[in-house]
């Protein structure tokens, strides 16, 4: 099959899907719970400082609500309590540059342009968090590449270390304090990394990095440094940061554990898909059926390559419908299964394209179980 982009596939199928959604004659009788996922609180901010967390209830996703309101956007690490005043915030640009610079965030705010919708997913997103450490918002900001253009780089400047303010008065036994990531200059350019000043048409919220955060489109959110205060140009031989090493396993690095920054593979999110809601439905004729609704994110896949597998049955079936798509963020899809026997069922997604790497899907990371009552 000639490979087409997800974009084009969606353009072809979206009109029909929207019409079907409007014409939906079924009655939704209820939704089935996902089993074995614990009770991590959803839609509620818990903890303080480094240990602050908030998870999005993904079952609420609808075609019109794929952009997460800022106050519901997931949180991993709350605003550090000793954060200096943000009105006079500036970011230092130094290291292997001819002249170090101090760039006021106000200047960057004035240059900020729309950066479109971006999805952030914590690399530590998991079943234990009911997969809710993931959200999408519309950001505005300035390309990091443009910011680097302000300085003349010294020979040997190959990478850039972005770090933020991370002095927490409340620590968390499960996390290492201090987030910073080192990117190759080519990675910065290719990914279109940007320094965000705005989110959903307003300034960033305190827990989301106000006044300045990095966003690296398509990469895990451990690279999306918040409260950015320093951009350091470094050479090709610098060691990885502690934060990078903490996240090595969760960003699919070499199991031996890379020690140098250049040994890290880009922390890109592979195409991934997750069921978010299973609706029990009754058709006009009184027939019971189940509709599995889910999301797809993490980059383009060929048309028709997203497939669903129930209870491990092979081959997987291509997912029937695209409900809505937010380019750059995620796609809402749905699939009707007809009757399901009472009992537990395993639902998982697959990408039917040998050329597409989807490591977490292949590992069953996003598989979910539902219980059907008789
Ligand atoms: N300065 C700083 N930036 C940080 C972190 C941090 O602890 N400190 N955590 C990172 C991680 S692991 C994630 S998942 C995202 C979460 O961003 P959010 O809280 O805005 O959703 O921020 C990233 N940026
Ligand atoms: Mo994270």
């Amino acid at each position: 099959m000639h490979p087409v982009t997800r974009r084009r596939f969606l353009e072809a199928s979206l009109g029909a899907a929207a019409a079907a959604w409007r014409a939906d004659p079924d009655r939704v009788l209820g939704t089935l719970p996902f089993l074995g996922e614990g009770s991590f609180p959803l839609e509620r901010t818990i903890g303080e400082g480094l240990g602050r967390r908030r998870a999005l209830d993904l079952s609420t996703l609808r075609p019109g609500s794929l952009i997460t309101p800022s106050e519901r956007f997931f949180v991993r690490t709350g605003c550090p309590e000793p954060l200096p005043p943000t009105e006079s915030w500036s970011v230092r640009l130094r290291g292997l540059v001819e002249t170090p610079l101090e760039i006021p965030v106000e200047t960057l705010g004035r240059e900020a342009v729309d950066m479109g919708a971006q999805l952030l997913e914590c690399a530590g997103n998991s079943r234990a968090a009911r997969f809710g450490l993931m959200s999408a918002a519309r950001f505005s900001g300035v390309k990091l590449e443009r910011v680097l253009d302000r300085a003349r780089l010294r020979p040997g400047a190959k990478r850039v270390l972005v770090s933020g303010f991370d002095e927490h008065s409340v620590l968390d036994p499960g996390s290492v304090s201090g987030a910073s990531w080192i990117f190759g200059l080519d990675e910065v350019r290719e990914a279109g990394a940007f320094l965000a000043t705005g989110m959903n048409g307003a300034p960033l919220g305190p827990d989301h990095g106000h006044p300045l955060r990095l966003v690296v489109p398509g990469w895990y959110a451990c690279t999306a440094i918040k409260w950015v205060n320093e951009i350091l140009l470094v050479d090709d031989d610098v060691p990885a940061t502690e934060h990078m090493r903490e996240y090595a396993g969760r960003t699919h690095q070499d199991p031996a554990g890379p020690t140098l920054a250049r040994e890290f593979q880009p922390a890109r999110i592979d195409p991934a898909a997750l069921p978010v809601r299973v609706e029990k439905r009754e058709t006009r004729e009184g027939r019971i059926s189940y509709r599995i609704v889910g999301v797809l994110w993490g980059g383009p896949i060929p048309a028709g390559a997203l497939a669903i597998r129930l209870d491990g049955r092979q081959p997987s079936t291509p997912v029937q419908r695209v409900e809505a798509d937010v380019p750059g963020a995620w796609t809402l899809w749905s699939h009707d299964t007809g009757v399901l026997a009472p009992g537990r069922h395993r639902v998982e997604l697959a990408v039917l394209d040998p050329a597409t790497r989807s490591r977490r899907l292949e590992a069953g990371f996003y598989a979910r179980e539902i219980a059907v009552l008789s």
Side-chain angles (χ1 to χ4, degrees):
M1 191 173 87
H2 185 71
V4 290
T5 62
R6 179 168 71 114
R7 194 84 278 283
R8 238 192 297 155
F9 156 63
L10 291 171
E11 276 159 12
S13 50
L14 206 58
W21 179 271
R22 279 194 302 274
D24 181 9
D26 296 358
R27 202 150 66 90
V28 179
L29 302 177
T31 56
L32 307 185
F34 292 111
L35 302 175
E37 300 191 354
S39 55
F40 194 92
L42 302 177
E43 305 283 341
R44 193 152 60 77
T45 307
I46 53 164
E48 290 303 325
L50 191 57
R52 179 172 291 169
R53 300 286 185 274
R54 181 185 182 97
L56 182 69
D57 182 355
L58 297 171
S59 75
T60 61
L61 294 178
R62 297 285 186 292
S65 68
L66 287 175
I67 294 295
T68 315
S70 299
E71 65 280 5
R72 291 179 57 206
F73 200 97
F74 89 88
V75 174
R76 193 281 188 193
T77 308
C79 180
E81 203 218 300
L83 195 76
T86 54
E87 309 80 58
S88 53
W89 193 274
S90 62
V91 53
R92 294 183 294 277
L93 180 56
R94 58 183 201 94
L96 295 174
V97 295
E98 293 300 343
T99 317
L101 294 175
E102 184 96 31
I103 309 168
V105 73
E106 208 201 320
T107 309
L108 296 176
R110 272 200 305 270
E111 293 172 16
V113 295
D114 180 30
M115 291 291 170
Q118 304 293 340
L119 174 137
L120 293 183
E121 181 186 17
C122 177
N125 196 19
S126 68
R127 194 174 313 284
R130 300 202 259 170
F131 301 107
L133 299 181
M134 162 160 79
S135 301
R138 230 167 258 291
F139 289 92
S140 56
V142 183
K143 286 269 175 78
L144 178 56
E145 197 188 348
R146 292 283 85 77
V147 175
L148 297 179
D149 284 346
R150 297 171 124 90
R152 205 133 58 78
L153 306 194
R154 293 228 297 264
K158 286 280 151 45
R159 300 187 170 266
V160 56
L161 187 160
V162 179
S163 47
F165 184 90
D166 265 298
E167 292 161 34
H168 291 272
S169 49
V170 183
L171 297 177
D172 175 47
S175 329
V176 180
S177 175
S180 54
W181 204 275
I182 300 168
F183 306 88
L185 294 175
D186 48 337
E187 293 171 341
V188 166
R189 206 169 319 115
E190 274 158 33
F194 62 91
L195 289 167
T197 53
M199 180 176 178
N200 291 334
L204 296 166
D207 288 344
H208 300 299
H210 182 77
L212 193 66
R213 93 172 298 167
L214 185 66
V215 173
V216 188
W219 289 39
Y220 282 110
C222 47
T223 65
I225 307 306
K226 304 193 274 194
W227 315 291
V228 169
N229 57 9
E230 186 168 82
I231 300 168
L232 187 68
L233 274 299
V234 294
D235 65 35
D236 223 11
D237 299 319
V238 291
T241 65
E242 222 184 313
H243 181 71
M244 292 169 80
R245 285 202 299 272
E246 183 192 2
Y247 275 95
R250 287 171 274 179
T251 59
H252 307 285
Q253 305 301 325
D254 180 342
T259 52
L260 297 182
R262 67 159 186 263
E263 294 163 341
F264 271 68
Q265 297 301 310
R268 234 177 259 129
I269 306 177
D270 288 350
L274 176 79
V276 298
R277 183 170 74 247
V278 180
E279 299 171 352
K280 181 176 186 180
R281 299 175 145 250
E282 188 182 45
T283 66
R284 247 193 316 230
E285 300 76 39
R287 248 185 321 106
I288 297 296
S289 78
Y290 294 89
R291 174 167 296 178
I292 301 172
V293 181
V295 286
L296 163 69
W297 72 99
I301 61 168
L306 180 65
I308 191 161
R309 186 180 298 153
L310 273 178
D311 301 319
R313 275 197 295 273
Q314 301 275 10
S316 314
T317 317
V319 162
Q320 290 159 352
R321 270 176 242 99
V322 167
E323 302 286 6
D325 175 48
V326 177
W330 44 16
T331 297
L332 194 70
W333 51 263
S334 75
H335 189 86
D336 295 333
T337 66
V339 276
L340 283 176
R344 290 171 86 106
H345 295 277
R346 178 183 164 95
V347 186
E348 79 192 288
L349 283 296
V351 177
L352 302 178
D353 170 39
T356 302
R357 188 178 68 172
S358 52
R359 290 165 293 189
R360 286 194 175 187
L361 277 186
E362 282 153 24
F365 188 86
Y366 295 110
R368 302 185 97 171
E369 285 206 354
I370 49 166
V372 174
L373 301 174
S374 49

